[in-house]
Structure formats: structure tokens, C-alpha cells
């Protein structure tokens, strides 16, 4: 396993490139993408504080400082100029991360409401089928991430049947949302899809219409 205090010679402030954070509206998706990148580079422990500075070992302490500053540089490079100004003088990744969380995080209830409203109101309009589906899927995925369900260790046959039914209902709901947002020019295709038995997945319906 790669040591979290290891930095490759090719690592630089631009080694990580994701969509720049603009504000509260895109904070959750930005945070998710940044967590993936930091984890892939074995540096997420700097954000959580798990990878602490070893004050008893001068060499390790120096390596920690280098890595800490590199992670701060990665964050600086992936936020908008106004946000960068607000975190410019922080010297600890934990402090940077906590500041962004406190400033930009929206409560689950508020964010779920916003996402569901956007989902209900989303229409294809002038977008291509692929772009419309991508927007729809992005909203659904963020909502799904925020919904935490209890784990079932030893499900009974009745529970498995119930879960299968719920999964089918959820898939049908996704299909209906997709079809509902299509422009009226796709009315014939929508009617044909709704006559199919069983109903296709939303991915299959998207492929059929394209």
C-alpha cells in the first residue's frame, strides 16, 4: 500500500483536475469528486485528520508538511477565485475542508427539496436526448446518495420479494420521469414505449428513442 506521506515526482498543484467549485449549489458533487481523487492519491486522511503530523520524527514531520501543502494546492486549483480567497491563508487541510463544509454545506432536508424540485421541473426543451438524460441521472444519483437505507443482513423470502417490488417501482418511476420530460415531438415513441410489457428500463428507453 502506498504511504500517505509519499508524493510522486510528477505531483503538482494541477495533478487533480475536476470542475471548479462555484458555491453551495455544486458543493456536494464537488466534495464527492474531490474525495474520490484524494482517496485515489492516498491523501484523504489529511482531510479527515486521520493522517496526523508526527512531531517526534523530523523527517516524517517534513514529509507531512509537504503533503499537507500539496493537498491545499489541489483544493485551491479546483475552486473558483472568490472561494479560493476565503481559504487562502489556511495552513491545515483539515481547517480548509471544515471551512468549506461550514460555509457551503446545505442541510439534507433543504438540499433534498431543491434536488427533487429540479427533478420534477426538468424538461428536455432544446437539449439532446443524451444531455437531457445525463441531467436527469445526475439529479437522481445525488438524491440516492443522500437517502440512507438500513442494511439487511439475513432477509427473509418475503423481504426479498418486497425489495424486488420496491426496486421495480423505483425503476418505473425513473422511466416515467424521463418520458414525461421529453418534448412533444417524441409523443409517438413515448406511447409505443408505454405499451411494452414489461416496461423497459430508462436506459433502454433512452437508447430506443435515440
Amino acid at each position: 500500500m502506498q504511504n500517505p506521506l509519499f508524493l510522486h515526482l510528477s505531483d503538482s498543484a494541477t495533478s487533480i483536475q475536476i470542475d471548479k467549485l462555484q458555491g453551495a449549489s455544486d458543493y456536494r458533487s464537488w466534495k464527492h469528486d474531490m474525495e474520490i481523487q484524494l482517496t485515489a492519491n492516498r491523501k484523504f486522511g489529511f482531510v479527515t485528520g486521520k493522517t496526523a503530523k508526527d512531531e517526534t520524527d523530523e523527517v516524517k514531520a517534513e514529509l507531512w508538511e509537504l503533503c499537507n501543502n500539496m493537498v491545499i494546492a489541489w483544493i485551491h486549483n479546483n475552486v473558483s477565485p472568490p472561494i479560493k480567497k476565503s481559504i487562502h491563508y489556511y495552513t491545515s487541510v483539515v481547517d480548509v475542508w471544515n471551512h468549506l463544509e461550514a460555509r457551503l454545506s446545505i442541510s439534507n432536508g433543504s438540499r433534498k427539496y431543491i434536488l427533487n424540485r429540479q427533478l420534477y421541473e426538468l424538461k428536455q426543451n432544446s437539449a439532446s436526448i443524451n444531455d437531457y438524460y445525463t441531467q436527469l441521472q445526475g439529479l437522481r444519483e445525488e438524491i440516492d446518495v443522500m437517502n440512507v437505507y438500513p442494511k439487511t443482513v439475513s432477509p427473509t423470502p418475503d423481504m426479498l420479494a418486497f425489495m424486488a417490488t420496491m426496486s421495480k417501482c423505483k425503476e418505473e418511476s425513473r422511466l416515467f420521469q424521463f418520458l414525461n420530460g421529453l418534448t412533444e415531438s417524441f409523443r409517438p415513441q413515448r406511447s409505443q414505449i408505454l405499451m411494452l410489457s414489461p416496461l423497459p428500463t430508462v436506459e433502454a428507453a433512452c437508447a430506443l428513442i435515440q
Side-chain angles (χ1 to χ4, degrees), residues 19-209:
D19 291 338
K20 290 185 183 294
L21 174 63
Q22 302 299 320
S25 62
D26 64 338
Y27 172 68
R28 286 188 179 278
S29 59
W30 177 90
K31 179 182 177 183
H32 176 69
D33 291 344
M34 183 57 76
E35 286 176 348
I36 291 174
Q37 294 290 335
L38 292 176
T39 301
N41 285 276
R42 301 288 196 275
K43 297 297 183 287
F44 190 57
F46 285 85
V47 165
T48 63
K50 183 178 180 180
T51 304
K53 184 178 182 179
D54 187 348
E55 300 287 0
T56 64
D57 188 313
E58 185 176 344
V59 174
K60 287 185 178 179
E62 184 176 350
L63 289 173
W64 186 94
E65 288 287 354
L66 288 171
C67 292
N68 175 76
N69 290 337
M70 182 60 74
V71 176
I72 290 177
W74 287 338
I75 294 175
H76 282 183
N77 189 57
N78 287 283
V79 299
S80 65
I83 294 177
K84 182 179 177 179
K85 287 182 180 179
S86 73
I87 59 176
H88 188 73
Y89 293 102
Y90 284 106
T91 58
S92 165
V93 177
V94 174
D95 291 339
V96 172
W97 199 259
N98 289 342
H99 171 83
L100 293 175
E101 179 72 17
R103 177 184 171 190
L104 302 175
S105 179
I106 301 176
S107 68
N108 278 4
S110 298
R111 186 60 182 159
K112 281 182 180 180
Y113 169 75
I114 292 171
L115 290 170
N116 278 281
R117 185 180 67 186
Q118 292 175 343
L119 185 64
Y120 298 146
E121 295 176 350
L122 183 63
K123 303 295 181 183
Q124 180 192 355
N125 297 321
S126 60
S128 67
I129 291 293
N130 187 58
D131 287 345
Y132 164 59
Y133 169 80
T134 300
Q135 293 179 55
L136 202 63
Q137 186 64 13
L139 291 171
R140 288 200 200 96
E141 287 180 354
E142 187 172 351
I143 292 172
D144 286 344
V145 167
M146 298 177 71
N147 291 325
V148 181
Y149 300 100
K151 293 183 179 180
T152 305
V153 179
S154 301
T156 64
D158 286 344
M159 291 174 64
L160 289 173
F162 174 77
M163 292 164 63
T165 300
M166 291 299 295
S167 179
K168 180 181 178 182
C169 290
K170 180 180 178 181
E171 187 59 42
E172 287 181 350
S173 177
R174 294 176 66 227
L175 173 65
F176 298 152
Q177 286 172 341
F178 170 74
L179 294 176
N180 181 62
L182 293 173
T183 61
E184 283 304 299
S185 62
F186 290 105
R187 181 192 290 268
Q189 291 94 327
R190 179 167 55 207
S191 297
Q192 291 173 2
I193 288 173
L194 290 172
M195 291 176 65
L196 296 175
S197 182
L199 288 170
T201 64
V202 67
E203 289 80 13
C206 182
L208 286 169
I209 290 176

